Amino acid sequence: MVNESFAELFAERDERGPCQLYLISPLQVGGDFPDRLARALDAGPVAAFQFRVKDIDQHKAAALAEPLLAICRERDVAFIVNDSIGLAKRLGADGVHLGQDDGDPREARRVLGPGAQIGVTCHDSRHLAMEAGEAGADYVAFGSFYPTSTKEVRHQPEPSILGWWTTIFEMPCVAIGGITPDNAHPLVEAGADFLAVCGAVWKAGEGEAEAVRRFGEVLARGN
């Protein structure tokens, strides 16, 4: 069942709301990760959680995702599946996030229905972002803004791309890539609607709960 309150976050609107936190999972989500996710979500406001695993079959991915989906549902946090339209459909997820090689937003809409939230990675490209909007995406993601160990960095936009997007388009934008509580403020100030974070939370020396609290302080200050 699609989380309708989350759908409203991505609705086009005349006035932009405050920037919010969008967590992305590490690649390893077994073991004690469900407990870690619960601690993170209980530590401060989180709008969405993206389930991102690689190189495993859909059956195993679904088994790993189901307890995480339940944790998100209990806390009214949207559950977004990375890359796989089929897995998003199987889980009844709130939406799917597509890389440039992971499918067409039009196909995702056909499979997942009108209420699903569809995001598209647009790197540092204004052209790709506009194409995603024309194809029916609900949000676009720009990055990597900073160096990151999560994936190979081939595109590094300037924060000004966020300001360009939010000045011209009502569709929300997500900033991604190497974002920490210490470097997040310029992205919030530039106009990001969401900060997508991974390593800064799951690899944080102080623990995931403290990392989320620190992001919350930055967002409260920036908004």
Side-chain angles (χ1 to χ4, degrees), residues 3 5 34-48 67-78:
N3 181 329
S5 63
D35 293 333
R36 297 183 67 197
L37 176 61
R39 286 196 296 270
L41 298 186
D42 289 341
V46 176
L68 308 181
L69 175 59
I71 289 167
C72 290
R73 287 279 187 264
E74 290 167 1
R75 292 159 176 79
D76 199 29
V77 173

Side-chain angles (χ1 to χ4, degrees), residues 1-7 9-10 21-26 29 37 41 46-53 61 65 68-70 72-73 76-85 87-89 91-99 108-109 112 115-121 138-139 141 174 194 196:
M1 179 178 177
V2 170
N3 181 329
E4 292 182 358
S5 63
F6 181 69
L9 294 176
F10 285 118
L21 196 60
Y22 181 145
L23 292 187
I24 299 176
S25 79
V29 294
L37 176 61
L41 298 186
V46 176
F49 171 75
Q50 184 185 122
F51 178 76
R52 179 178 178 268
V53 296
L68 308 181
L69 175 59
C72 290
R73 287 279 187 264
D76 199 29
V77 173
F79 191 91
I80 305 295
V81 171
N82 179 259
D83 291 354
S84 177
I85 297 170
L87 181 59
K89 176 70 172 179
L91 293 170
D94 296 295
V96 67
H97 184 89
L98 301 173
R109 180 70 64 208
L112 301 178
Q117 302 307 303
I118 299 167
V120 177
T121 295
D138 295 286
Y139 70 89
V174 176
F194 297 87

Side-chain angles (χ1 to χ4, degrees), residues 95-175:
V96 67
H97 184 89
L98 301 173
Q100 285 297 313
D101 300 319
D102 299 320
D104 189 305
R106 297 177 185 86
E107 174 66 7
R109 180 70 64 208
R110 185 189 68 78
V111 173
L112 301 178
Q117 302 307 303
I118 299 167
V120 177
T121 295
C122 299
H123 304 302
D124 58 353
S125 173
R126 302 180 183 201
H127 176 70
L128 290 178
M130 290 187 286
E131 282 192 336
E134 290 171 359
D138 295 286
Y139 70 89
V140 295
F142 296 109
S144 175
F145 283 96
Y146 304 113
T148 175
S149 60
T150 303
K151 59 171 62 176
E152 180 186 358
V153 175
R154 291 183 294 171
H155 310 274
Q156 192 166 356
E158 293 296 324
S160 59
I161 198 170
L162 301 168
W164 165 79
W165 181 263
T166 56
T167 298
I168 299 173
F169 302 99
E170 295 177 349
M171 182 190 301
C173 64
V174 176

